Amino acid sequence: MDTAFTEHRTREPESGLATIVTDFSADQRAFRNVSWGKAMMWIFLLSDTFIFGTFLIGYMTARMSTAEPWPNASEVFALEIAGQHLPLILIAIMTFVLISSSGTMAMAVNYGYRRQRRPTAALLVVTALLGAAFVGMQAFEWTKLISEGVRPWGNPWGAAQFGSAFFMITGFHGTHVTIGVIFLLIVARKVIRGDFDHGRPGFFTGRKGRYEAVEIMGLYWHFVDLVWVFIFAFFYLW
């Protein structure tokens, strides 16, 4: 025992990158109580951040390097309502709806912590309806631009890259919102049936008495909302 103790004391301390690796691999306090579902969602969101970041960087690179003028977003996304020319009015409404859904999602997570089934399920359904409204307005936006001649390879107003950047970025984000709406309704159904209270076996249920699935959905939904803020700022306002 004395020999082992002496070897332990005489061992030279690690330095540099090895110290960071050792700290992370031995830090049980930070990861012991994190469930697999929540950890996997964070990993997924991190990978998705790189994908959306790549799309936005590619869009900005194409916009700054093109020799043709970039279409004016205030004109492209304007609507005529009651004879009034309203720039970006639809985009403003879409943003308001999606940000509002982030608030209802936060309230659903709060009620989930309290294990109150009815308000949790109701707020999840409201969040899903707001998300569906957002997707519906985005479909209207796509239909309008396609009818005006916007294609991935060209458009009537300027740089051809505008169409490909628009359809790629908003389409990828809209797909995320659509998937989120579907899973919100699935989780809401499980909440109202009492699956989380009774520990009923099934997909996305978790342990008895735990509403963790609601929190995981909240992480995903807040991420989708945050990504839209960057899309709104860089694509529509720039």
Side-chain angles (χ1 to χ4, degrees), residues 35-53:
S35 68
W36 277 108
K38 194 181 296 184
M40 292 302 102
M41 178 55 73
W42 276 113
I43 293 173
F44 168 75
L45 296 181
L46 179 62
S47 63
D48 233 19
T49 300
F50 290 125
I51 296 174
F52 275 109

Side-chain angles (χ1 to χ4, degrees), residues 120-130 184-185 188-189:
T120 302
L123 287 165
L124 287 172
V125 172
V126 171
T127 304
L129 291 175
L130 291 172
L184 282 169
L185 294 175
R189 182 172 180 267

Side-chain angles (χ1 to χ4, degrees), residues 51-117:
I51 296 174
F52 275 109
T54 301
F55 283 174
L56 289 174
I57 292 173
Y59 148 71
M60 289 185 286
T61 302
R63 179 167 180 170
M64 290 185 293
S65 61
T66 181
E68 298 182 48
W70 196 262
N72 185 355
S74 297
E75 297 298 326
V76 174
F77 300 106
L79 290 179
E80 293 285 343
I81 300 177
Q84 299 293 322
H85 185 76
L86 301 175
L88 297 177
I89 183 62
L90 180 63
I91 311 305
I93 296 173
M94 291 168 61
T95 303
F96 175 78
V97 168
L98 201 60
I99 297 302
S100 298
S101 73
S102 188
T104 57
M105 186 71 241
M107 293 172 64
V109 173
N110 185 31
Y111 280 109
Y113 283 141
R114 303 177 187 179
R115 301 180 185 178
Q116 298 182 17
R117 283 195 302 168

Side-chain angles (χ1 to χ4, degrees), residues 120-122 124-125 183-193:
T120 302
L124 287 172
V125 172
F183 275 92
L184 282 169
L185 294 175
I186 291 174
V187 174
R189 182 172 180 267
K190 286 183 170 293
V191 169
I192 202 64
R193 289 197 314 179

